[in-house]
Coordinates of all heavy atoms in Angstrom, one line a residue:
A2 N 0.6 2.2 -0.8 CA 1.4 3.4 -0.9 C 1.2 4.3 0.2 O 0.1 4.3 0.8 CB 1.1 4.1 -2.2
D3 N 2.2 5.1 0.6 CA 2.1 6.0 1.7 C 1.4 7.3 1.2 O 1.9 7.9 0.3 CB 3.5 6.3 2.2 CG 3.5 7.0 3.5 OD1 2.5 7.0 4.2 OD2 4.5 7.6 3.9
D4 N 0.2 7.6 1.7 CA -0.5 8.8 1.3 C 0.0 10.0 2.0 O -0.3 10.2 3.2 CB -2.0 8.6 1.5 CG -2.9 9.7 0.9 OD1 -2.3 10.7 0.5 OD2 -4.1 9.6 1.0
K5 N 0.8 10.8 1.3 CA 1.4 12.0 2.0 C 0.4 13.1 2.3 O 0.8 14.0 3.0 CB 2.6 12.5 1.1 CG 3.7 11.5 1.0 CD 4.7 11.8 0.0 CE 5.8 10.8 -0.1 NZ 5.4 9.5 -0.6
K6 N -0.8 13.0 1.8 CA -1.8 13.9 2.1 C -2.5 13.7 3.4 O -3.1 14.5 4.0 CB -2.9 14.0 1.0 CG -2.4 14.4 -0.3 CD -3.5 14.4 -1.3 CE -2.9 14.1 -2.7 NZ -3.9 13.5 -3.6
Q7 N -2.4 12.4 3.9 CA -3.0 12.0 5.1 C -1.9 11.7 6.2 O -1.4 10.6 6.3 CB -3.9 10.8 5.0 CG -5.1 11.0 4.1 CD -6.0 9.8 4.0 OE1 -5.6 8.7 4.4 NE2 -7.2 10.1 3.6
T8 N -1.5 12.8 6.9 CA -0.5 12.6 7.9 C -1.2 12.7 9.3 O -2.3 13.1 9.4 CB 0.5 13.7 7.8 OG1 -0.1 15.0 8.0 CG2 1.3 13.7 6.5
G9 N -0.5 12.3 10.3 CA -1.0 12.2 11.6 C -0.5 11.0 12.3 O 0.4 10.3 11.9
S10 N -1.1 10.8 13.5 CA -0.6 9.7 14.3 C -0.5 8.4 13.7 O 0.5 7.7 13.8 CB -1.4 9.7 15.6 OG -0.8 8.8 16.5
P11 N -1.5 7.9 13.0 CA -1.4 6.6 12.4 C -0.2 6.4 11.5 O 0.4 5.4 11.4 CB -2.7 6.4 11.7 CG -3.7 7.3 12.4 CD -2.8 8.5 12.8
D12 N 0.1 7.5 10.7 CA 1.2 7.4 9.7 C 2.5 7.5 10.5 O 3.4 6.9 10.1 CB 1.0 8.5 8.7 CG 1.9 8.3 7.5 OD1 2.0 7.2 7.1 OD2 2.5 9.3 7.1
R13 N 2.6 8.4 11.5 CA 3.8 8.6 12.2 C 4.2 7.4 13.0 O 5.4 7.3 13.3 CB 3.7 9.9 13.1 CG 3.8 11.2 12.3 CD 4.0 12.3 13.3 NE 3.0 12.4 14.3 CZ 1.9 13.2 14.2 NH1 1.8 14.0 13.2 NH2 1.0 13.2 15.1
D14 N 3.3 6.6 13.4 CA 3.6 5.5 14.3 C 4.0 4.2 13.6 O 4.2 3.2 14.2 CB 2.3 5.2 15.2 CG 2.0 6.3 16.1 OD1 2.9 7.2 16.4 OD2 0.8 6.4 16.6
R15 N 4.0 4.3 12.3 CA 4.4 3.1 11.5 C 5.6 3.4 10.7 O 5.8 4.5 10.2 CB 3.2 2.7 10.6 CG 2.0 2.3 11.3 CD 0.9 1.7 10.4 NE -0.2 1.3 11.2 CZ -0.3 0.1 11.7 NH1 0.7 -0.8 11.6 NH2 -1.3 -0.3 12.4
I16 N 6.4 2.3 10.5 CA 7.6 2.4 9.7 C 7.4 1.7 8.4 O 7.1 0.5 8.3 CB 8.8 1.7 10.5 CG1 9.0 2.3 11.8 CG2 10.0 1.7 9.6 CD1 10.0 1.6 12.7
N17 N 7.4 2.5 7.3 CA 7.2 2.0 6.0 C 8.5 1.8 5.3 O 9.2 2.7 4.9 CB 6.4 3.0 5.2 CG 6.0 2.5 3.8 OD1 6.5 1.5 3.3 ND2 5.1 3.2 3.1
M18 N 8.9 0.5 5.2 CA 10.2 0.1 4.7 C 10.3 0.4 3.1 O 11.4 0.3 2.6 CB 10.6 -1.3 5.0 CG 10.8 -1.6 6.5 SD 12.2 -0.6 7.2 CE 13.6 -1.3 6.3
S19 N 9.2 0.7 2.5 CA 9.2 0.9 1.1 C 9.5 2.4 0.7 O 9.7 2.7 -0.4 CB 7.8 0.6 0.5 OG 7.5 -0.7 0.7
E20 N 9.5 3.2 1.7 CA 9.8 4.7 1.5 C 11.2 5.0 2.0 O 11.5 4.9 3.2 CB 8.8 5.6 2.2 CG 7.4 5.4 1.7 CD 7.2 6.1 0.3 OE1 8.1 6.9 -0.1 OE2 6.2 5.9 -0.3
D21 N 12.1 5.4 1.1 CA 13.5 5.6 1.5 C 13.6 6.7 2.5 O 14.4 6.6 3.5 CB 14.3 6.0 0.3 CG 14.7 4.8 -0.6 OD1 14.7 3.7 -0.1 OD2 14.9 5.1 -1.8
Y22 N 12.8 7.8 2.4 CA 12.9 8.8 3.4 C 12.5 8.4 4.8 O 13.1 8.8 5.8 CB 12.1 10.1 3.0 CG 10.6 9.9 3.1 CD1 9.9 10.3 4.2 CD2 9.9 9.4 2.1 CE1 8.6 10.2 4.3 CE2 8.5 9.3 2.1 CZ 7.9 9.7 3.3 OH 6.5 9.5 3.4
E23 N 11.6 7.4 4.9 CA 11.2 6.9 6.2 C 12.3 6.0 6.7 O 12.6 6.0 7.9 CB 9.9 6.1 6.1 CG 8.7 7.0 6.0 CD 7.4 6.3 6.3 OE1 7.4 5.4 7.2 OE2 6.4 6.7 5.7
V24 N 12.9 5.2 5.9 CA 14.0 4.3 6.3 C 15.1 5.1 6.8 O 15.7 4.8 7.9 CB 14.4 3.3 5.2 CG1 15.6 2.6 5.6 CG2 13.3 2.4 4.8
Q25 N 15.5 6.2 6.1 CA 16.6 7.1 6.5 C 16.2 7.7 7.9 O 17.1 7.7 8.8 CB 16.8 8.2 5.5 CG 17.4 7.6 4.2 CD 17.6 8.7 3.2 OE1 17.2 9.9 3.4 NE2 18.1 8.3 2.0
Y26 N 15.0 8.2 8.1 CA 14.6 8.8 9.3 C 14.7 7.8 10.5 O 15.3 8.0 11.5 CB 13.2 9.3 9.3 CG 12.7 9.7 10.6 CD1 13.0 11.0 11.2 CD2 11.9 8.9 11.4 CE1 12.6 11.3 12.4 CE2 11.5 9.2 12.7 CZ 11.8 10.5 13.2 OH 11.4 10.8 14.4
W27 N 14.2 6.6 10.3 CA 14.1 5.6 11.4 C 15.5 5.0 11.7 O 15.8 4.7 12.8 CB 13.1 4.5 11.1 CG 11.7 5.1 11.3 CD1 10.7 5.3 10.3 CD2 11.1 5.4 12.5 NE1 9.6 5.8 10.9 CE2 9.8 5.9 12.2 CE3 11.5 5.4 13.8 CZ2 8.9 6.4 13.2 CZ3 10.6 5.9 14.8 CH2 9.3 6.3 14.5
T28 N 16.3 4.8 10.7 CA 17.6 4.3 11.0 C 18.4 5.3 11.8 O 19.1 4.9 12.7 CB 18.4 3.9 9.7 OG1 18.5 5.0 8.8 CG2 17.8 2.7 9.0
K29 N 18.3 6.5 11.5 CA 19.0 7.6 12.3 C 18.4 7.7 13.7 O 19.1 7.8 14.7 CB 18.9 8.9 11.5 CG 19.7 10.0 12.2 CD 19.7 11.3 11.4 CE 20.5 12.4 12.1 NZ 20.5 13.6 11.3
A30 N 17.1 7.7 13.7 CA 16.4 7.9 15.0 C 16.6 6.8 16.0 O 16.8 7.0 17.2 CB 14.9 8.1 14.8
L31 N 16.7 5.6 15.4 CA 16.9 4.4 16.3 C 18.4 3.9 16.4 O 18.7 3.0 17.1 CB 16.1 3.2 15.7 CG 14.6 3.5 15.8 CD1 13.8 2.4 15.1 CD2 14.1 3.7 17.2
G32 N 19.3 4.5 15.5 CA 20.7 4.2 15.6 C 21.0 2.8 15.1 O 21.9 2.1 15.7
V33 N 20.3 2.4 14.1 CA 20.5 1.0 13.5 C 20.7 1.1 12.0 O 20.4 2.1 11.4 CB 19.3 0.1 13.9 CG1 19.2 -0.1 15.4 CG2 18.0 0.6 13.3
S34 N 21.2 0.0 11.5 CA 21.4 -0.1 10.0 C 20.1 -0.4 9.4 O 19.1 -0.8 10.0 CB 22.4 -1.2 9.7 OG 21.8 -2.5 10.0
R35 N 20.0 -0.3 8.1 CA 18.8 -0.6 7.3 C 18.4 -2.1 7.5 O 17.3 -2.4 7.7 CB 19.0 -0.3 5.8 CG 17.8 -0.6 5.0 CD 18.0 -0.4 3.5 NE 16.8 -0.6 2.8 CZ 16.0 0.4 2.4 NH1 16.3 1.7 2.7 NH2 14.9 0.2 1.7
E36 N 19.5 -2.9 7.5 CA 19.2 -4.3 7.6 C 18.7 -4.7 9.0 O 17.7 -5.5 9.1 CB 20.6 -5.1 7.4 CG 21.1 -5.0 6.0 CD 21.7 -3.7 5.6 OE1 22.2 -3.0 6.5 OE2 21.8 -3.4 4.4
K37 N 19.2 -4.1 10.1 CA 18.7 -4.3 11.4 C 17.3 -3.8 11.6 O 16.5 -4.4 12.2 CB 19.7 -3.6 12.4 CG 19.4 -3.9 13.8 CD 19.9 -5.3 14.1 CE 19.9 -5.6 15.6 NZ 20.2 -7.0 15.9
L38 N 17.0 -2.6 10.9 CA 15.7 -2.1 11.0 C 14.7 -3.1 10.3 O 13.6 -3.3 10.8 CB 15.6 -0.7 10.3 CG 14.2 0.0 10.3 CD1 13.7 0.2 11.7 CD2 14.3 1.3 9.5
Q39 N 15.1 -3.6 9.1 CA 14.2 -4.5 8.4 C 14.0 -5.8 9.2 O 12.8 -6.3 9.3 CB 14.9 -4.9 7.1 CG 14.0 -5.8 6.2 CD 12.7 -5.1 5.7 OE1 12.8 -4.2 5.0 NE2 11.6 -5.6 6.2
E40 N 15.0 -6.3 9.9 CA 14.9 -7.5 10.7 C 13.9 -7.2 11.9 O 13.0 -8.0 12.2 CB 16.2 -7.9 11.3 CG 17.2 -8.5 10.3 CD 18.5 -8.7 10.9 OE1 18.7 -8.6 12.2 OE2 19.5 -8.9 10.2
A41 N 14.0 -6.0 12.5 CA 13.1 -5.6 13.6 C 11.6 -5.5 13.1 O 10.7 -5.9 13.8 CB 13.6 -4.3 14.2
V42 N 11.4 -4.9 11.9 CA 10.1 -4.7 11.4 C 9.5 -6.1 11.0 O 8.3 -6.3 11.3 CB 10.1 -3.8 10.2 CG1 8.8 -3.8 9.4 CG2 10.4 -2.3 10.6
D43 N 10.3 -7.0 10.5 CA 9.9 -8.3 10.1 C 9.5 -9.1 11.4 O 8.5 -9.8 11.4 CB 10.9 -9.1 9.4 CG 11.2 -8.5 8.0 OD1 10.3 -7.8 7.5 OD2 12.2 -8.9 7.4
A44 N 10.2 -8.9 12.4 CA 10.0 -9.7 13.7 C 8.8 -9.1 14.5 O 8.0 -9.8 15.1 CB 11.3 -9.7 14.5

Side-chain angles (χ1 to χ4, degrees):
D3 194 18
D4 187 352
K5 293 172 184 61
K6 295 178 213 156
Q7 294 185 345
T8 59
S10 186
D12 193 43
R13 283 192 303 260
D14 295 340
R15 296 190 175 275
I16 300 172
N17 184 347
M18 294 299 295
S19 299
E20 294 288 347
D21 286 335
Y22 72 93
E23 285 197 33
V24 172
Q25 289 174 1
Y26 170 81
W27 286 109
T28 55
K29 185 175 179 179
L31 298 172
V33 296
S34 67
R35 180 184 186 96
E36 292 78 21
K37 190 74 169 174
L38 180 62
Q39 183 66 63
E40 289 172 14
V42 169
D43 291 344

